[in-house]
Amino acid sequence: MVDLQPHSPAWADDYRREAERLAVALGTRVDALEHIGSTAVPDLVAKPIIDVAARTSPGTDPFALGADLIDLGYERHASGPKTHAVYVRRDEARRTHILHVFRPDQWDACNQRLFRDRLLRDPVARQRYAVLKEALGGLADGRTYTAAKTALITELVGDERAARGLPAVTVWEK
């Protein structure tokens, strides 16, 4: 079942601690870390999983960071998107952190960052997303939950991309 929880200020602290651990482990291979996902948006219900976006330094392959992340408990999510690297940290069977790693040329147009920014800046968008998430929260299957959110996410990301003069793109990244 999809575990949605009311927003917790502790999520920002968890992100900061994790970002410090990642910065130490990855050193100069990354030059930016940001809190993304629903836990980065105050007053939004969320699954208690901290999503982090990282930008690699020029010349660093996002898919080649696995060895640097093993000691932090991350493993590569091989069935994840092919557009960027995804590493997952678990506490037993439950995901606790997801690290999305992007090349420098992907950073400014990264849908995950654009979506977060739209939700932070636009209270109507945030409310629409919150209502949808709460309506879907009782679903048993995470894939169904994600798929049911795709139309609204596509609309909101499209709005943000248009506001920044970026072309429309497919939001579902596989």
Side-chain angles (χ1 to χ4, degrees):
M1 186 148 142
V2 176
D3 177 26
L4 292 179
Q5 298 180 9
H7 182 81
S8 171
W11 292 337
D13 295 333
D14 189 353
Y15 161 75
R16 280 189 287 280
R17 282 190 303 276
E18 196 64 14
E20 288 173 13
R21 288 170 20 102
L22 289 164
V24 169
L26 297 172
T28 60
R29 289 177 293 286
V30 298
D31 58 18
L33 293 164
E34 292 185 3
H35 191 182
I36 59 171
S38 293
T39 60
V41 181
D43 301 323
L44 187 61
V45 297
K47 294 180 287 183
I49 302 168
I50 305 301
D51 287 282
V52 179
R55 179 180 62 202
T56 59
S57 301
T60 299
D61 179 1
F63 295 93
L65 299 177
D68 299 312
L69 296 167
I70 288 174
D71 288 343
L72 297 183
Y74 284 89
E75 58 186 35
R76 182 146 173 264
H77 184 50
S79 64
K82 305 300 181 236
T83 57
H84 66 280
V86 177
Y87 301 89
V88 176
R89 185 173 142 208
R90 299 176 187 279
D91 177 6
E92 297 179 25
R94 186 181 77 80
R95 291 179 179 179
T96 60
H97 298 79
I98 302 174
L99 174 64
H100 301 261
V101 186
F102 301 92
R103 296 183 320 267
D105 64 309
Q106 296 172 307
W107 191 250
D108 289 337
C110 167
N111 288 334
Q112 291 84 346
R113 295 177 65 241
L114 297 175
F115 185 57
R116 177 216 45 210
D117 291 351
R118 174 57 63 165
L119 293 177
L120 287 171
R121 258 197 341 277
D122 184 342
V124 172
R126 187 171 51 251
Q127 180 61 27
R128 289 178 65 204
Y129 190 54
V131 167
L132 177 60
K133 288 179 71 152
E134 289 171 9
L136 300 171
L139 291 174
D141 178 50
R143 289 184 190 271
T144 302
Y145 168 79
T146 300
K149 297 185 309 175
T150 300
L152 180 58
I153 292 170
T154 298
E155 176 189 335
L156 297 177
V157 168
D159 291 347
E160 187 65 19
R161 292 183 71 83
R164 295 182 187 206
L166 297 169
V169 296
T170 302
V171 172
W172 194 264
E173 299 174 309
K174 287 286 182 183

